[in-house]
């Protein structure tokens, strides 16, 4: 056999992820027969020609690596290595991409379906290569980083959910470790977790519940920054009554806060449930009108979740309303009058006015009994010209009985109109009572 005078260069070993490994190549063992083939190519005599044929076969063995998986390559979305080169992503569409070569960064841009209300957006990274620990970062449309997350281990998928008021976002996908490369599948979608009343995040966008009683509202606070606004009109118009607010079925992650505003936007009250998952009840005394209710997560303990809102009139006032002024005094007719069941629901503004006619100059007696334990009665008696006499019961819950003989400026007469006004004496004095008037 004839040998070369010049030694052939040795083959270089290549690690599976080394850049020298081109598609179709594999690492060669030290004793591969290909070296013998190269020597055979140069044989000059027939004796060594057969050896040369064998050498050709050895070369073919060096490239016929059909059982090896295809190596990674840059994906079809490149170049998208910067925010200005971001690939547009349609929601709920799979994007099959790669982090390749090492150090590659993939930028994407997407628009949410919710454009003027809060919702949750899920970013899914699936089918992650076993050698890739994938990491994402989210930016707003101005490029300000909002949040980020990584899978935590190589080969793990990633699910990231973020709260969004809607708009355009940029997404950066990369390997957590600089030398890792691999494939992944990206999918972005709205979760559509908000309620049927959205968008109602401002007073101007309030959901109109109409006239009470309103149907139960099954709402959702998707973000601790979200506000749910509702508009309603009470059944009582110029009649004092209780309006009751109930927030129930509150999610474990939500401490509910309720605020009420009048038609001019002035704050009436703000209350909170006191703990996450707790129900809330509040009662308002009002002469009626149009109001705006706002439900939010309580600011000091932010959270999200579902709730149910119910608003209703309690119809606590009596059948003689509206009779809060002398001009609207309820006409009881001529004496005697008995068993008038009245109700003072609020001290300020709720006044019960009645009028009756005396049939003679005989004195009459007003008896107020069965007084509620939270009510101290203030009684005013007036005649048509405006002469008056005022008297109070001794204590809360005490009866009051007075004769016209004890009234300095009031005297009965045939067919004479007398007015009486019943109210609570002090703040927060309210309750039921019964009265009668006899000659």
């Amino acid at each position: 056999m004839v040998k070369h005078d010049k030694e052939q260069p040795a083959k270089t070993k290549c690690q599976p992820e080394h850049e020298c490994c081109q598609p179709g190549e594999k690492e060669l063992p030290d004793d591969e027969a290909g070296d013998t083939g190269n020597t055979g190519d140069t044989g000059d005599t027939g004796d060594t020609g057969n050896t040369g044929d064998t050498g050709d076969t050895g070369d073919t063995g060096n490239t016929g690596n059909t059982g090896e998986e295809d190596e990674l390559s840059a994906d079809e979305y490149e170049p998208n290595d910067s925010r200005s080169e971001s690939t547009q992503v349609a929601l709920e569409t799979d994007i099959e991409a790669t982090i390749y070569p090492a150090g590659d960064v993939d930028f994407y841009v997407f628009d949410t379906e919710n454009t003027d209300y809060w919702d949750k957006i899920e970013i899914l990274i699936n089918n992650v290569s076993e050698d890739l620990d994938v990491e994402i970062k989210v930016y707003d449309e101005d490029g300000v980083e909002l949040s980020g997350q990584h899978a935590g281990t190589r080969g793990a998928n990633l699910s990231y959910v973020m709260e969004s008021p809607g708009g355009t976002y940029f997404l950066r996908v990369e390997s957590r470790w600089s030398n890792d490369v691999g494939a992944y599948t990206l999918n972005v979608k709205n979760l559509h977790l908000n309620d049927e009343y959205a968008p109602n995040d401002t007073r101007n966008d309030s959901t109109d519940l109409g006239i009470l009683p309103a149907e139960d509202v099954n709402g959702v606070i998707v973000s601790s920054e979200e506000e749910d606004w509702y508009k309603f009109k009470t059944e009582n118009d110029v009649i004092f009554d209780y309006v009751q607010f109930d927030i129930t079925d509150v999610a474990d992650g939500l401490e509910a806060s309720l605020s009420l505003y009048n038609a001019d936007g002035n704050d009436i009250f703000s209350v909170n449930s006191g703990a996450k998952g707790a129900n809330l009840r509040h009662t308002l005394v009002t002469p009626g009108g149009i109001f705006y209710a706002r439900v939010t997560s309580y600011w000091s303990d932010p959270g999200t979740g579902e709730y149910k809102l119910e608003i209703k009139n309690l119809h606590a006032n009596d059948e003689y309303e509206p009779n809060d002024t002398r001009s609207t005094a309820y006409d009881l007719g001529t004496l005697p009058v008995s068993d008038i069941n009245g109700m003072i629901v609020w001290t300020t503004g709720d006044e019960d006015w009645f009028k009756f006619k005396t049939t003679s100059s005989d004195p009459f007696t007003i008896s107020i009994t069965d007084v509620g334990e939270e009510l101290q009665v203030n009684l005013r008696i007036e005649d048509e010209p405006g002469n008056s006499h005022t008297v109070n019961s001794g204590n809360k819950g005490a009866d009051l009985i007075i004769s016209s003989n004890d009234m300095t400026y009031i005297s009965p007469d045939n067919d004479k109109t007398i007015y009486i006004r019943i109210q609570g004496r002090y703040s927060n004095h309210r309750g039921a009572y019964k009265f009668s008037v006899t000659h």
Side-chain angles (χ1 to χ4, degrees), residues 114 117-121 162-166 190-194 222:
N114 56 312
Y117 62 92
W118 283 89
D119 199 0
K120 289 190 176 181
I121 310 299
M162 69 177 192
E163 301 168 357
S164 167
N190 271 75
L191 295 183
H192 303 293
L193 294 181
N194 216 317
V222 173

Side-chain angles (χ1 to χ4, degrees), residues 223-406:
S223 166
S224 58
E225 298 182 43
E226 181 183 14
E227 301 180 358
D228 286 354
W229 284 82
Y230 304 95
K231 175 184 178 182
F232 66 90
K233 187 178 186 300
T234 62
E235 288 181 283
N236 58 309
D237 195 4
V238 305
I239 300 173
F240 273 85
D241 193 13
Y242 292 103
V243 177
Q244 182 172 291
F245 302 83
D246 283 292
I247 298 181
T248 59
D249 298 346
V250 180
D252 292 340
L254 175 65
E255 180 177 353
S257 176
L258 173 67
S259 301
L260 191 72
Y261 303 82
N262 64 16
D264 296 325
N266 297 317
D267 182 21
I268 297 176
F269 69 77
S270 291
V271 293
N272 63 286
S273 62
K276 287 184 174 178
N279 295 336
L280 183 158
R281 169 172 286 181
H282 190 75
T283 304
L284 170 72
V285 179
T286 172
I290 294 174
F291 298 91
Y292 295 87
R294 184 190 68 178
V295 180
T296 63
S297 168
Y298 188 50
W299 63 270
S300 69
D301 192 10
T304 62
E306 300 176 346
Y307 65 90
K308 181 167 71 174
L309 171 66
E310 180 184 7
I311 309 173
K312 61 183 178 182
N313 277 87
L314 294 185
H315 304 291
N317 220 317
D318 53 61
E319 62 185 289
Y320 308 105
E321 295 286 349
N323 63 338
D324 294 320
T325 64
R326 176 170 156 156
S327 62
T328 59
Y330 187 86
D331 191 350
L332 299 174
T334 58
L335 294 186
V337 173
S338 61
D339 296 336
I340 301 299
N341 294 298
M343 171 66 76
I344 298 297
V345 299
W346 194 246
T347 303
T348 304
D350 188 17
E351 302 177 358
D352 287 354
W353 284 82
F354 301 92
K355 66 180 179 179
F356 57 84
K357 285 189 177 183
T358 57
T359 58
S360 69
S361 59
D362 294 339
F364 61 86
T365 300
I366 301 175
S367 300
I368 301 179
T369 59
D370 298 347
V371 178
E373 62 182 15
E374 295 299 319
L375 175 62
Q376 181 178 4
V377 174
N378 174 267
L379 173 65
R380 179 182 179 90
I381 306 99
E382 294 184 5
D383 60 15
E384 197 72 57
N387 300 310
S388 65
H389 182 86
T390 301
V391 63
N392 301 307
S393 63
N395 297 292
K396 286 182 177 181
D399 295 345
L400 189 158
I401 300 174
I402 186 171
S403 169
S404 59
N405 289 334
D406 299 322

